[in-house]
Amino acid sequence: MALTMSLKEELARVPVAATPERRAETAAMLRFAGGLHLVSGRVVVEAELDHGASARRLRASITELYGLATEIVVVSGGNLRRGQRYVIRVVRGGEDLARRTGLIDQRGRPVRGLAPALVTGTTADTAAVWRGALLAHGSLTEPGRSAALEVTTPGPEAALALVGAARRLDVAAKAREVRQADRVVVRDGEAIATLLTAVGAEQTAALWRERRERKEVRATANRLANFDDANLRRSAQAAVAAGAKVERALEILGDEVPEHLRYAGRLRLEHKQASLDELGRLADPPMTKDAVAGRIRRLLAMADKRAAERGVPGTDAPAED
């Protein structure tokens, strides 16, 4: 929730001078946070938001752009919803506002998607539509496996229209139904940063990129550490297994072991978890890793040959106590 509120706080302060952009943003906020009600034969426009500055921005836009008065009701959070909710209601002139913002068509029928003027506007208008949608019903989660920039929409038609608007901003978004609610989701990290920048949330975009890079660096470091740990465990397990084979080989051969092979075998038994390279450095005089490996290989081969001649288990069998 922290990133979501930070995003809405920044978007609510984005200056917009051009009237078409303000109209596009206002229409989007009413579409994604609002609804139409029929009260005593009169159309009432209502919008519910979870952010105070967003509610004030919407009220100011309705008054300045359309000259209409608004009512506002602050609803305290309950068991299911935390935090306050801000309900903005336009009673007088509600039908006119609904028609001018594309909530209803010229015949008074509800528009399920976005008004054609919003879908075919300029790039700046399209960015304003997304800004309004995010202010109305958007959320932004922390970078990571489940990271997403998401907008809950009033229906599939509005979701598809918002996906198309994202495409015009060169951002890939998907419409999906989650828990019986239609949503538009952007999951790609770079696409999220691009969209945040396009709607004017440059500080949030920079913060998002910084946190994303930090998590990626941490994840890479963890993967490398886990990889190194796994390699060390495998090497140690292989060394212990080799030590058991050497112990069996010395048992089979007894006094028949050539001294240089016995020496390599004793090195392995005395340092069971050491790598071949470490055994070579421990030898006196020092040997290469290949030299140690060659001597141990010959020791095991000699022991297996002798075991086969005697009809007894070879070096793969456990050593006897």
Side-chain angles (χ1 to χ4, degrees):
M1 289 299 294
L3 265 181
T4 297
M5 289 299 108
S6 174
L7 169 62
K8 292 188 177 185
E9 195 68 36
E10 183 175 6
L11 290 180
R13 297 195 307 267
V14 172
V16 181
T19 298
E21 291 179 45
R22 290 192 70 189
R23 290 184 183 276
E25 180 188 297
T26 303
M29 291 185 75
L30 291 174
R31 162 57 65 204
F32 292 101
L36 297 174
H37 303 281
L38 199 61
V39 180
S40 301
R42 177 183 296 178
V43 174
V44 174
V45 177
E46 197 171 86
E48 182 177 326
L49 300 108
D50 60 359
H51 183 246
S54 302
R56 290 190 293 273
R57 185 180 178 97
L58 179 57
R59 288 190 75 190
S61 295
I62 292 173
T63 301
E64 294 168 12
L65 293 173
Y66 304 105
L68 297 173
T70 61
E71 301 174 5
I72 184 166
V73 178
V74 180
V75 182
S76 299
N79 293 331
L80 298 178
R81 288 183 173 180
R82 296 180 179 178
Q84 293 182 324
R85 314 289 295 183
Y86 304 86
V87 180
I88 297 172
R89 189 178 294 119
V90 178
V91 179
R92 292 179 178 276
E95 183 173 351
D96 181 53
L97 176 64
R99 184 173 287 107
R100 295 172 70 183
T101 55
L103 297 180
I104 60 175
D105 62 19
Q106 294 304 314
R107 295 184 179 181
R109 297 173 300 189
V111 175
R112 295 188 179 276
L114 290 177
L118 300 180
V119 177
T120 60
T122 65
T123 302
D125 294 343
T126 304
V129 168
W130 256 97
R131 183 167 55 251
L134 288 169
L135 284 168
H137 240 308
S139 66
L140 175 62
T141 52
E142 290 280 348
R145 186 173 297 178
S146 59
L149 181 65
E150 185 175 285
V151 175
T152 303
T153 71
E157 297 87 356
L160 291 174
L162 197 58
V163 168
R167 193 180 303 118
R168 296 192 65 197
L169 298 173
D170 296 324
V171 171
K174 290 186 177 180
R176 58 183 58 184
E177 186 178 333
V178 181
R179 294 187 293 275
Q180 297 183 330
D182 291 288
R183 303 173 192 267
V184 174
V185 183
V186 180
R187 290 206 177 276
D188 179 74
E190 198 53 43
I192 289 174
T194 298
L195 185 53
L196 290 175
T197 302
V199 298
E202 296 180 359
Q203 293 179 7
T204 306
L207 178 62
W208 166 267
R209 282 195 173 99
E210 179 187 339
R211 292 187 182 181
R212 178 176 172 233
E213 290 170 2
R214 192 184 307 150
K215 286 211 170 188
E216 288 178 351
V217 168
R218 189 181 300 125
T220 301
N222 288 339
R223 281 196 299 271
L224 291 175
N226 292 336
F227 179 76
D228 290 343
D229 287 345
N231 279 344
L232 288 172
R233 284 196 299 272
R234 282 194 293 269
S235 297
Q237 290 167 355
V240 171
K245 287 189 173 186
V246 167
E247 187 173 359
R248 176 62 180 161
L250 293 176
E251 177 189 312
I252 294 170
L253 293 173
D255 295 335
E256 299 177 24
V257 185
E259 188 55 37
H260 67 293
L261 300 186
R262 184 189 300 276
Y263 180 69
R266 287 297 173 192
L267 269 178
R268 166 50 70 206
L269 292 180
E270 291 169 5
H271 308 282
K272 287 190 176 181
Q273 294 191 356
S275 66
L276 291 172
D277 191 48
E278 290 169 334
L279 289 180
R281 292 197 297 270
L282 290 168
D284 185 17
M287 293 188 289
T288 66
K289 176 176 70 173
D290 291 338
V292 176
R295 290 190 184 188
I296 292 177
R297 190 164 53 247
R298 288 194 296 275
L299 172 64
L300 298 179
M302 183 182 293
D304 284 334
K305 181 179 179 182
R306 186 55 51 86
E309 292 172 354
R310 294 177 183 173
V312 298
T315 57
D316 287 329
E320 297 179 1
D321 294 333

